[in-house]
Amino acid sequence: MFAKLFKIAAAAAVVATVSATPLPSGKSLAARGSHSFNSYMGFSDMSGFDNFYGSDNFSGVISKTVVEHESELVCHSESVEIVQQRLLVLQEMAKRIITEQICEVESQTVVFEQFYSSMGHFSGDIRHKSHRGAGYDEGIASHYGSIVEGDGSLSSNDLGFSGQDLGSHWVVPSGSNWNDGSSPSSVESAFEAAKAARSS
């Protein structure tokens, strides 16, 4: 049961950690458009970069979701500190993956900006601004245990999916307190309060 809840928190809540980080100053990398990063600056490790989400989809915008089920999984409130602990683990794992498995700082920059940008889409899901329910891809989240080897080192095998598969096994846990009448206003207030705290 805890493993299932952790997958939900892991897939859904990385955004909260990433969103709490101030946006980098200066011109950010474009979210969409014909910006190719294949073999960027001649780095061989960037070969095929555009293939992951598609050449015109830098930030991994999900164009289609296939909802697997909405009622079987029910959200279960934990102490916010418990959730924050797990999100911090995921945040530091993302840093570990980028710094241990990419050596060129230019490539690290592009990959992190892509990750940061793609996570931002979840904010719209939570706030009911997108066509998707606030959920996660169960198929991709199921690979969580494959990231680290038994000896604690990072795995390097192909997990068998690309970013274009995102959304094909979408799960929307039920049981949130969303109310069509009052929630749009209260959620926007929470969003603005979080933005104010982030920029202060």
Side-chain angles (χ1 to χ4, degrees):
M1 180 66 177
F2 180 79
K4 185 176 284 187
L5 292 173
F6 183 74
K7 285 180 184 177
I8 294 170
V14 173
V15 171
T17 304
V18 174
S19 297
T21 307
L23 285 170
S25 59
K27 188 175 180 181
S28 62
L29 297 172
R32 290 183 70 87
S34 57
H35 296 273
S36 175
F37 288 98
N38 278 340
S39 301
Y40 183 68
M41 296 184 73
F43 296 128
S44 60
D45 63 350
M46 293 290 281
S47 175
F49 178 93
D50 297 344
N51 298 339
F52 193 71
Y53 285 121
S55 59
D56 294 329
N57 190 13
F58 177 79
S59 67
V61 174
I62 302 173
S63 59
K64 179 181 177 183
T65 56
V66 178
V67 177
E68 296 283 297
H69 44 82
E70 294 193 25
S71 58
E72 290 88 344
L73 284 174
V74 179
C75 66
H76 174 75
S77 292
E78 294 285 351
S79 162
V80 69
E81 191 171 356
I82 297 298
V83 175
Q84 288 171 316
Q85 286 175 345
R86 282 145 183 78
L87 292 178
L88 187 56
V89 170
L90 294 173
Q91 171 186 294
E92 296 309 300
M93 279 300 296
K95 293 178 186 178
R96 180 184 177 191
I97 291 167
I98 290 171
T99 56
E100 286 189 16
Q101 296 193 316
I102 303 175
C103 297
E104 293 79 15
V105 293
E106 296 85 357
S107 299
Q108 289 176 348
T109 299
V110 173
V111 170
F112 174 75
E113 288 297 325
Q114 182 182 53
F115 172 71
Y116 182 88
S117 179
S118 66
M119 288 303 304
H121 301 307
F122 186 60
S123 175
D125 296 345
I126 293 173
R127 293 156 53 219
H128 288 231
K129 300 289 187 182
S130 70
H131 65 280
R132 298 175 298 278
Y136 63 96
D137 190 295
E138 183 178 51
I140 293 175
S142 70
H143 292 281
Y144 176 79
S146 303
I147 295 173
V148 179
E149 300 285 5
D151 63 0
S153 63
L154 293 174
S155 66
S156 58
N157 59 303
D158 187 338
L159 298 178
F161 62 85
S162 78
Q164 297 178 61
D165 297 314
L166 183 61
S168 59
H169 297 92
W170 202 250
V171 173
V172 181
S174 61
S176 80
N177 69 334
W178 179 267
N179 177 290
D180 289 338
S182 60
S183 293
S185 174
S186 62
V187 167
E188 282 308 300
S189 294
F191 179 66
E192 292 301 325
K195 281 204 312 184
R198 184 175 64 195
S199 60
S200 63

